[in-house]
Amino acid sequence: MCETSSSESANTSGMTEEFLDSSANTVDTSENEEERDKITNFPQVIESYTDQEFRRHFRLNRSTARMLIDRYNTSSFYTYKEHGGLPKVGASKEIYILLWYMANTNTFREIANLFNMSKTSAWSILRRVVEWLLSIGHEYIQWPSASKVQDNMRKFKATKNIPNVVGCIDCSHIKIKTPVSNNKAYFNRKHFYSLQLQAVVDADKMFINVFAGEPGSLHDSRILRRSSLYERATGDMESTFPFNSFLLGDSAYGNSQWLISPFLDNGCLTPAQRQFNFIHSSTRIVVENAYGLLKTRFRRLLHST
């Protein structure tokens, strides 16, 4: 399982079937149709976007894309060479393929046509860039240092006056197609097939720990027990949660020294308990907001294929 991110596939929206499946009066093979549909200068079109257009299409700033391109260009994952006599694929084009794929919901055929390559090449590039991102994920998704733990505690306390909160934890379903084998394990309580993404976010909605890839049918508490976060917390709680800090989680989680869930509402809660649950929920909402922002920005996660 991946402790920093998940490499599940995603889709991109923006182009219609009418644009790509242009009708023709003459009989043609699907290969020839795809060749006709290919766009030869799309990377140049991207470079011509204004900063506002770039963000509208890719759902992130151009400076972020440029940083990724510069880092990828010097990585061991990127090989700048010809394959089978075809033109070389630049680092910027490979990053744009991934970002377009994640930000929209196009099919692989549409993406391959946009970037003037075969579906196989587009898929190979996507897998390679995702593997590279996973290799550097730990640089960005990090458990907070002692000073940052204190900073988070101050920010959370300023929100709803709950002291010692370092983060909020929750799981989210990433929808997938029906698996070929063991599909019952992936069929979740919401009646669709999914993979689970567990995340802890801080007061600024930044992801500080993730665990991805468990089948959708698993309960949130079981996923936590299978994660390295649980192993770390139970094995060395004092350094993981210094200053008596803890996480907030919903009622799917049991209470412990480092994770506080709300009172179970059995209809007999006292006014004080109901007030605590309200404050708890109002503080914990940051993790739900973070998931919403993640899936709005990277729309492929709304329906992974």
Side-chain angles (χ1 to χ4, degrees):
M1 291 304 134
C2 168
E3 289 296 329
T4 52
S5 63
S6 172
S7 59
E8 286 302 311
S9 359
N11 266 3
T12 44
S13 72
M15 300 196 66
T16 63
E17 286 297 323
E18 288 77 13
F19 174 77
L20 293 167
D21 294 328
S22 53
S23 58
N25 293 326
T26 58
V27 177
D28 206 347
T29 66
S30 60
E31 266 188 27
N32 288 336
E33 287 175 353
E34 289 189 12
E35 287 302 317
R36 277 203 313 275
D37 288 339
K38 290 188 187 302
I39 298 173
T40 59
N41 66 335
F42 191 53
Q44 289 73 32
V45 172
I46 293 172
E47 295 295 344
S48 72
Y49 286 160
T50 65
D51 289 346
Q52 292 76 15
E53 289 172 329
F54 190 95
R55 184 171 179 82
R56 188 165 64 247
H57 286 290
F58 288 97
R59 303 180 191 278
L60 46 72
N61 294 328
R62 189 191 297 272
S63 59
T64 303
R66 178 49 56 188
M67 179 274 291
L68 291 173
I69 292 167
D70 291 342
R71 288 206 60 177
Y72 181 62
N73 191 41
T74 58
S75 75
S76 60
F77 286 82
Y78 174 61
T79 53
Y80 191 70
K81 59 185 180 181
E82 295 186 21
H83 296 279
L86 296 174
K88 298 175 182 179
V89 177
S92 59
K93 188 173 184 178
E94 295 198 6
I95 293 296
Y96 287 152
I97 288 172
L98 172 75
L99 295 180
W100 190 272
Y101 175 80
M102 291 302 299
N104 302 283
T105 54
N106 298 109
T107 63
F108 258 100
R109 175 172 176 266
E110 292 170 336
I111 293 171
N113 289 342
L114 272 177
F115 289 93
N116 193 28
M117 61 180 60
S118 68
K119 289 183 288 187
T120 301
S121 295
W123 174 247
S124 297
I125 288 170
L126 179 70
R127 290 296 300 270
R128 181 165 63 247
V129 179
V130 166
E131 287 176 6
W132 169 69
L133 285 175
L134 290 174
S135 74
I136 65 171
H138 65 279
E139 299 177 28
Y140 301 93
I141 303 176
Q142 298 181 337
W143 194 255
S145 62
S147 61
K148 289 186 177 180
V149 166
Q150 291 180 308
D151 187 45
N152 269 328
M153 288 165 58
R154 283 192 295 269
K155 290 179 178 179
F156 274 117
K157 191 173 189 301
T159 303
K160 290 293 179 179
N161 204 34
I162 299 183
N164 296 5
V165 178
V166 67
C168 298
I169 186 171
D170 201 2
C171 286
S172 183
H173 292 280
I174 307 299
K175 192 173 183 179
I176 60 172
K177 287 184 177 179
T178 307
V180 175
S181 61
N182 197 26
N183 54 52
K184 289 183 179 179
Y186 295 86
F187 195 71
N188 63 48
R189 59 186 174 80
K190 298 181 179 180
H191 304 294
F192 62 85
Y193 295 96
S194 68
L195 293 169
Q196 289 268 33
L197 169 60
Q198 174 188 279
V200 179
V201 305
D202 65 15
D204 296 319
K205 303 184 183 74
M206 299 291 289
F207 289 83
I208 57 176
N209 181 271
V210 298
F211 178 65
E214 294 289 348
S217 65
L218 291 189
H219 192 272
D220 291 4
S221 61
R222 186 178 177 190
I223 293 171
L224 173 60
R225 291 195 299 271
R226 291 165 67 96
S227 70
S228 66
L229 173 62
Y230 184 84
E231 182 179 357
R232 179 178 174 180
T234 54
D236 190 6
M237 192 191 76
E238 288 188 5
S239 64
T240 306
F241 295 96
F243 315 114
N244 295 316
S245 60
F246 53 83
L247 302 176
L248 294 183
D250 62 22
S251 57
Y253 300 100
N255 278 296
S256 68
Q257 285 183 278
W258 52 272
L259 199 161
I260 304 299
S261 59
F263 290 101
L264 291 177
D265 190 354
N266 54 10
C268 300
L269 295 184
T270 66
Q273 289 172 330
R274 287 196 294 271
Q275 178 65 11
F276 173 81
N277 280 2
F278 173 77
I279 295 173
H280 186 288
S281 176
S282 300
T283 305
R284 196 183 70 246
I285 199 170
V286 293
V287 66
E288 297 175 18
N289 290 341
Y291 274 129
L293 291 170
L294 178 70
K295 293 185 178 183
T296 299
R297 173 169 290 186
F298 301 115
R299 299 186 66 82
R300 181 71 57 172
L301 297 178
L302 293 172
H303 190 139
S304 185
T305 59

